[in-house]
Amino acid sequence: MRPPAQPRSSGARLVVLVPLLWLACFFLLPALIVLKISLSQPAVAQPPYAPTLDLAAGWAGLKEFLAGLSFDNYVLLATDPLYVGSYLKSLKVAALSTLALLAVGYPLAYAMARAPRRLQGFLLLLVILPFWTAFLIRIYAWMTILQRDGLLNQALLALGIIDTPVTWLASDTAVYIGIVYSYLPFIVLPIYASLERIDPTLLEAAADLGCTPTQAFWRVTVPLSLPGVMAGATICFIPIVGEFVVPDLLGSSATMMIGQTLWAEFFANRDWPLAAAVAIVMLVLLIAPLVLYEHLQARFMASER
Amino acid sequence: MTEPLGADAGAAATAGGRPLLRFENVTKRFGAYTAIDRLSIDIRQGEMFALLGPSGCGKSTLLRLAAGFERPDEGRILLDGQDMADTPPHLRPINMMFQSYALFPHMTVAGNIAFGLKQDGLPRAVIAERVAEAVALLRLEGLEKRRPDQLSGGQRQRVALARALVKRPKVLLLDEPLGALDKKLRDEMQAELAALQRRLGATFVIVTHDQQEALSLADRLAVMDRGRVAQIGRPGEVYERPASVYVASFMGDVNLLEGTVARADAGGLQVDCGAAGYVRVTQPKACEIGGRVWIAVRPEKLSLERARPEDMTLNAVRGTVEAISYHGPTSLVSVRTGDGLLLRSAAVHGAADASTPAVGETVWLTWAPATGVLLDH
Amino acid sequence: MHKGLSATTATALALGMAFLYLPILVLVVYSFNASRLVTVWGGWSTRWYAALLEDAALIEAASISLRVAALSATVATVLGTLAAVALVRFGRFRGRLVLSALVYAPIVMPEVITGLSLLLLFVAVNIDRGFWTVTISHTTLTMCFVVLIVQSRLVRFDMSLEEAAMDLGCPPLRTFLTITLPLIWPAVASAWLLAFTLSLDDLVIASFTTGPGATTLPIRIYSDVRLGVKPEINAVCTLMIATVAAALILTSLVTKGADARRR
């Protein structure tokens, strides 16, 4: 397609400016404030951190403000095993649950793409629908199922698979179940989209050229669905790292994920600067997978051309 | 319209027509790609002008420049002497019939046709009257309440035409107007479109990649090549007297003989074509003796003979029939000459059809010197 | 490939759908449980729904959530549609990269960070936290999802329709309102609905940005749920699911109706 015309009129400029300014005010600016406050110290005051920038004091005020900033919070994060452990735990949970999501989501997406055409729209709707019910509700539903006298234990006892009730809640298993459950649509949709785009004649061509269905799957279908896999994995991995609700309701309190740590620093300890530093470090950690994703995607696009 | 109806009626009417739409040294780039390259064309009042070329030659871009959807990087586009640079599409007295028709799917046929008139703020009664007029003109009676997806391809095409014409534009742009129709319908609509244009005396600019369509529809046409005009002229001129090898081969099947100018005399030029011998061309074109040239001859100008003809003024080349492909009214006979050149002759199937040779037979291809065209190497 | 449903495909689909829907089904069924013990079935009853009607705090929270959701979804739909139009229609303009980065970042950004940063902004500029701060925060998050939905519809939109309208004398803004908007409005409507439910669902961002007197429904549910499973909560959740389901059905009926009329 030809590139459309440049915005010329003032009306067109407004179309760009209004959302741009909104996001600059309520997304970009707050991120900068977080950065600033992460360099401050907690104080028993309102707001509960120091120094605060006093614009009325002019240059001197700015100087004093800059002098008051420090990297103490970051030093603490890097040296205290509590925080390091929390970050590592988050990354581990995110990595393993992304793998689990792929293991569950790929077959589901593949089955959807192989279903009869007229069913596919309906199946797609079925996968999206749970996403419209509240996250909190879906996690709460699992609390009912996983608790000590919950349905899962009742079922397993009745089937004679276990003799005594298993403690599911407050465990890592419960966290993985909860995450896979609530993020499943996010991984199924992009994979399905890339599978559905594959021209069926490609598989016929592969068969014609001597591929068994299994070989065709691994040599044609899987490589062509990789963009969807990468997109899905990225979309899931990043928010899972900062996940709060699932580990808080389903997990144990032994090792907290970093989202919980941030929440605790903020709400329980009222150490806003440290919470801000936790957030900044989390962001930095998350930039790496995003850059990797962009890179892989660019390479894939280039190879497709 | 009082002009006489005849083969050249349109051309006669437009011969003295003043330039209405003028492209002056227009250049349009998309990034590093130059779509239109310093192009100048004058389109005259009341003519049917065709922009012809293969896909990617810039013909559609030229149309979009005229409509105002693209802005030229250099040069000017003048309508009636007025520079259109600062006039946005919705204020230009030019209307376009889109290749996809671009009928509004959420409006009826009548709604689509009335849309442009409503934008002009015309009174309701006037709109109704002009819509009815356009509906009658394009034989859309009874379809006014339908939605575009309830129409056949041909009906959609006519609605799109009606919608653009009802605004009485100074220039009507048509982007591959018949491209989406099947062969039979296309031939019908071709005639209808030409009749309509003549009846309205309007200026039509039509973009097409089909040289047959351009030849039969246009008063004048421009053959485009990579953003430039390769030749402008009346259909007959462009077909019979192509200005370059590109135009000759784009405008239909052509035989090309390569040679060196050997002699020039009052009767024309003698060109040494190697194994094909000396070929005579009667084109009064200044040529250097010893220069390399092409001679272009259309297959229908070549006759097949079993023996060398008596008439020594005719050009004659000997060869062996290699293939015959049947095309209904004609057959295309491919003849391989001594030096490996493949020439094609279109033989019309007459009543006495004994003369069609068989594959492997030795034949003579002959043609009159006046039918060949000399082209620069 | 798309001829019939093979046994393996059917099994995979059945397992997947069971995994997705059983927990929700369990929740709904147990909301009608007569027993106070959540896991013991005591027969059908609507007593927990009746109990909800007397819980004034819960009703207040629900009303706040609904108002926040309706308002923020509406503003987000307008802002998000504008941004989608800019990204799809204006080609390469100055600020395009910034705008597209700012649109995608909040979608992948962990909610705790978004919530924390918005709170720190409100504190820094000294705004009293409450209804309006939650609404602004939800607008910011949900407008990005609106952009995604409207953008994907606009990309498929046949540009020549807009060009045809302008060619026929329609100025750009009127073209958008009379041609583009009527044709993409099912997408705009579902974007609004998504924004509405995302706002209705959000716990984390609301927890950070709310203030006294503006406890939303999820915050309320969360504080109860932390203490364990309660039948009243099952009833609330069922009502929320029912609300969203009703809205979904309504939207699809309305947009289907529009499609049918077009046909």
Side-chain angles (χ1 to χ4, degrees):
Chain A
M1 267 321 288
R2 294 175 183 83
Q6 289 286 313
R8 297 170 213 164
S9 64
S10 52
R13 264 189 214 113
L14 268 183
V15 171
V16 179
L17 274 183
V18 172
L20 190 65
L21 282 181
W22 181 284
L23 285 170
C25 279
F26 296 113
F27 189 76
L28 198 59
L29 182 63
L32 295 175
I33 293 175
V34 172
L35 183 63
K36 185 210 106 181
I37 289 174
S38 75
L39 300 170
S40 311
Q41 295 301 320
V44 186
Q46 196 54 255
Y49 51 84
T52 48
L53 178 55
D54 185 4
L55 286 175
W59 247 132
L62 184 65
K63 260 193 185 158
E64 193 188 327
F65 165 75
L66 287 174
L69 295 178
S70 79
F71 287 94
D72 290 358
N73 292 318
Y74 292 96
V75 175
L76 180 66
L77 286 186
T79 49
D80 191 327
L82 178 76
Y83 299 108
V84 178
S86 188
Y87 279 115
L88 290 178
K89 162 110 184 195
S90 291
L91 292 176
K92 186 187 115 191
V93 169
L96 288 181
S97 27
T98 304
L99 286 180
L101 276 164
L102 282 174
V104 178
Y106 199 102
L108 186 55
Y110 187 68
M112 283 169 66
R114 290 192 63 115
R117 263 276 167 235
R118 70 204 139 75
L119 264 185
Q120 288 193 16
F122 177 64
L123 290 170
L124 199 61
L125 190 72
L126 279 185
V127 169
I128 299 171
L129 267 186
F131 174 65
W132 293 82
T133 51
F135 201 75
L136 190 60
I137 294 178
R138 282 177 283 154
I139 299 307
Y140 172 71
W142 278 101
M143 287 176 73
T144 321
I145 295 168
L146 295 177
Q147 61 186 322
R148 201 170 168 76
D149 47 358
L151 282 177
L152 183 61
N153 274 338
Q154 286 183 19
L156 292 176
L157 283 169
L159 290 170
I161 296 172
I162 51 170
D163 302 326
T164 48
V166 179
T167 311
W168 297 104
L169 265 186
S171 73
D172 281 357
T173 319
V175 173
Y176 287 118
I177 292 177
I179 289 180
V180 169
Y181 181 66
S182 39
Y183 283 85
L184 195 57
F186 294 99
I187 200 135
V188 171
L189 291 183
I191 296 178
Y192 166 76
S194 63
L195 284 172
E196 190 256 352
R197 261 203 300 270
I198 297 176
D199 183 351
T201 56
L202 290 180
L203 293 176
E204 289 171 2
D208 185 60
L209 296 168
C211 265
T212 65
T214 319
Q215 284 172 326
F217 174 77
W218 287 107
R219 292 191 188 160
V220 179
T221 310
V222 170
L224 286 175
S225 65
L226 275 186
V229 170
M230 289 189 309
T234 317
I235 292 171
C236 291
F237 181 85
I238 292 177
I240 294 175
V241 170
E243 187 50 60
F244 167 76
V245 179
V246 182
D248 190 62
L249 292 179
L250 299 180
S252 70
S253 46
T255 335
M256 292 200 288
M257 282 178 68
I258 199 64
Q260 294 170 280
T261 307
L262 190 155
W263 185 280
E265 287 303 340
F266 184 85
F267 286 108
N269 302 345
R270 279 190 75 77
D271 190 340
W272 292 16
L274 191 63
V278 168
I280 294 290
V281 172
M282 198 196 307
L283 268 188
V284 171
L285 287 178
L286 291 180
I287 286 171
L290 262 187
V291 170
L292 181 73
Y293 169 68
E294 284 292 325
H295 175 75
L296 286 176
Q297 206 192 25
R299 226 180 46 182
F300 193 87
M301 295 273 219
S303 74
E304 265 206 332
R305 211 161 281 147
Chain B
M1 295 281 100
T2 53
E3 64 198 54
L5 278 175
D8 265 337
T14 61
R18 66 198 164 89
L20 179 64
L21 180 63
R22 160 172 263 179
F23 294 87
E24 250 182 34
N25 271 315
V26 172
T27 297
K28 176 69 193 171
R29 296 182 202 93
F30 295 114
Y33 173 71
T34 306
I36 302 288
D37 191 6
R38 282 163 295 159
L39 174 143
S40 299
I41 296 180
D42 278 349
I43 291 159
R44 297 171 196 152
Q45 168 77 52
E47 76 178 338
M48 171 87 93
F49 191 92
L51 291 165
L52 177 65
S55 62
C57 71
K59 55 191 193 304
S60 288
T61 305
L62 205 59
L63 220 55
R64 295 173 56 84
L65 282 163
F69 301 130
E70 310 288 351
R71 285 157 77 87
D73 293 310
E74 283 157 37
R76 299 196 300 165
I77 298 169
L78 304 168
L79 180 70
D80 244 350
Q82 292 240 310
D83 192 339
M84 301 305 285
D86 293 321
T87 313
H90 66 276
L91 298 178
R92 294 190 186 198
I94 293 179
N95 288 118
M96 173 132 144
M97 184 186 149
F98 288 77
Q99 186 175 5
S100 62
Y101 306 148
L103 298 179
F104 305 128
H106 57 310
M107 296 179 193
T108 59
V109 167
N112 266 282
I113 299 175
F115 185 87
L117 299 174
K118 282 189 188 148
Q119 304 309 319
D120 294 346
L122 294 177
R124 215 171 259 251
V126 177
I127 295 181
E129 189 186 313
R130 294 210 4 212
V131 169
E133 215 173 274
V135 163
L137 187 66
L138 285 146
R139 296 181 288 109
L140 289 164
E141 293 96 342
L143 303 175
E144 294 95 329
K145 294 248 160 60
R146 296 233 189 136
R147 306 246 174 208
D149 55 5
Q150 299 167 318
L151 301 176
S152 71
Q155 289 168 340
R156 269 183 234 174
Q157 194 259 6
R158 294 208 301 275
V159 174
L161 193 54
R163 187 178 72 175
L165 272 176
V166 79
K167 294 260 295 182
R168 298 179 185 158
K170 286 190 175 167
V171 179
L172 179 69
L173 309 171
L174 304 103
D175 192 357
E176 301 274 4
L178 310 176
L181 305 180
D182 56 38
K183 177 87 175 79
K184 191 167 177 295
L185 200 54
R186 197 159 62 217
D187 292 345
E188 272 173 41
M189 282 309 296
Q190 229 172 58
E192 210 168 303
L193 202 59
L196 196 67
Q197 188 263 341
R198 226 159 265 183
R199 211 161 101 205
L200 298 172
T203 311
F204 280 26
V205 180
I206 176 169
V207 153
T208 175
H209 65 275
D210 179 344
Q211 87 278 1
Q212 214 54 56
E213 190 171 294
L215 287 175
S216 53
L217 266 178
D219 295 323
R220 288 194 312 143
L221 58 89
V223 183
M224 293 186 60
D225 177 23
R226 283 165 293 167
R228 290 165 177 258
V229 171
Q231 190 173 0
I232 299 187
R234 305 237 303 266
E237 286 166 20
V238 176
Y239 185 78
E240 300 286 345
R241 292 268 163 252
S244 64
V245 173
Y246 172 82
V247 175
S249 30
F250 188 76
M251 293 308 294
D253 206 357
V254 71
N255 292 301
L256 289 167
L257 293 102
E258 195 181 9
T260 314
V261 180
R263 264 198 308 279
D265 55 36
L269 299 167
Q270 292 264 15
V271 179
D272 180 1
C273 291
Y278 283 86
V279 173
R280 184 179 287 277
V281 193
T282 55
Q283 191 181 268
K285 184 170 175 176
C287 248
E288 217 177 291
I289 303 293
R292 297 291 286 173
V293 290
W294 289 105
I295 297 166
V297 198
R298 301 269 172 217
E300 67 271 18
K301 310 285 188 196
L302 295 186
S303 327
L304 280 170
E305 310 284 348
R306 291 231 156 64
R308 184 168 177 113
E310 312 277 297
D311 185 353
M312 291 306 284
T313 60
L314 291 179
N315 292 307
V317 174
R318 204 171 79 128
T320 315
V321 175
E322 193 168 286
I324 300 170
S325 58
Y326 182 71
H327 286 269
T330 61
S331 278
L332 203 61
V333 182
S334 303
V335 177
R336 181 76 70 183
T337 65
D339 57 350
L341 190 68
L342 195 65
L343 295 175
R344 288 175 309 281
S345 158
V348 180
H349 299 148
D353 205 7
S355 68
T356 306
V359 173
E361 222 176 295
T362 302
V363 291
W364 289 86
L365 289 167
T366 68
W367 70 97
T371 58
V373 181
L374 201 67
L375 298 170
D376 291 330
H377 205 268
Chain C
M1 170 146 185
H2 298 297
K3 291 205 185 89
L5 201 58
S6 75
T8 352
T9 309
T11 314
L13 287 172
L15 284 177
M17 296 308 161
F19 179 59
L20 282 172
Y21 283 93
L22 269 184
I24 296 175
L25 193 67
V26 167
L27 184 92
V28 172
V29 168
Y30 274 83
S31 76
F32 293 100
N33 187 358
S35 162
R36 167 150 283 283
L37 291 170
V38 186
T39 49
V40 179
W41 185 251
W44 294 92
S45 156
T46 52
R47 60 184 281 209
W48 308 117
Y49 291 91
L52 286 183
L53 288 177
E54 277 147 38
D55 191 339
L58 198 71
I59 291 171
E60 167 70 9
S63 122
I64 290 173
S65 268
L66 287 174
R67 277 184 290 146
V68 167
L71 190 58
S72 66
T74 307
V75 180
T77 304
V78 174
L79 289 173
T81 304
L82 289 180
V85 168
L87 289 174
V88 177
R89 283 286 182 266
F90 291 173
R92 279 179 206 155
F93 57 90
R94 264 186 304 156
R96 183 182 207 285
L97 204 65
V98 181
L99 183 60
S100 65
L102 282 179
V103 160
Y104 290 113
I107 291 172
V108 287
M109 181 78 92
E111 285 178 317
V112 278
I113 301 185
T114 311
L116 176 72
S117 62
L118 278 161
L119 166 76
L120 293 178
L121 169 80
F122 295 136
V123 170
V125 297
N126 216 354
I127 297 178
D128 283 336
R129 276 168 284 145
F131 179 84
W132 289 105
T133 48
V134 178
T135 306
I136 289 175
S137 307
H138 282 177
T139 304
T140 310
L141 177 73
T142 56
M143 73 174 275
C144 303
F145 286 89
V146 173
V147 176
L148 284 192
I149 293 182
V150 177
Q151 195 178 19
S152 68
R153 177 66 187 89
L154 276 177
V155 166
R156 285 184 292 117
F157 189 84
D158 182 3
M159 241 217 342
S160 62
L161 289 177
E162 282 179 16
E163 289 178 345
M166 285 193 257
D167 188 65
L168 294 166
C170 197
L173 178 64
R174 208 191 304 159
T175 299
F176 183 77
L177 294 177
T178 56
I179 303 296
T180 317
L181 208 52
L183 290 173
I184 65 165
W185 95 266
V188 175
S190 47
W192 184 90
L193 194 60
L194 180 64
F196 181 84
T197 49
L198 283 173
S199 166
L200 203 60
D201 290 357
D202 169 69
L203 163 70
V204 176
I205 293 176
S207 296
F208 277 99
T209 55
T210 191
T215 304
T216 63
L217 195 54
I219 298 179
R220 175 86 210 165
I221 295 176
Y222 174 72
S223 62
D224 281 348
V225 161
R226 293 207 66 168
L227 306 174
V229 176
K230 275 193 200 168
E232 291 96 330
I233 299 299
N234 283 356
V236 177
C237 293
T238 304
L239 283 181
M240 282 177 78
I241 294 171
T243 309
V244 171
L248 267 176
I249 291 168
L250 198 69
T251 321
S252 75
L253 283 184
V254 170
T255 53
K256 275 241 177 72
D259 277 351
R261 247 177 291 127
R262 198 161 300 151
R263 216 137 275 157

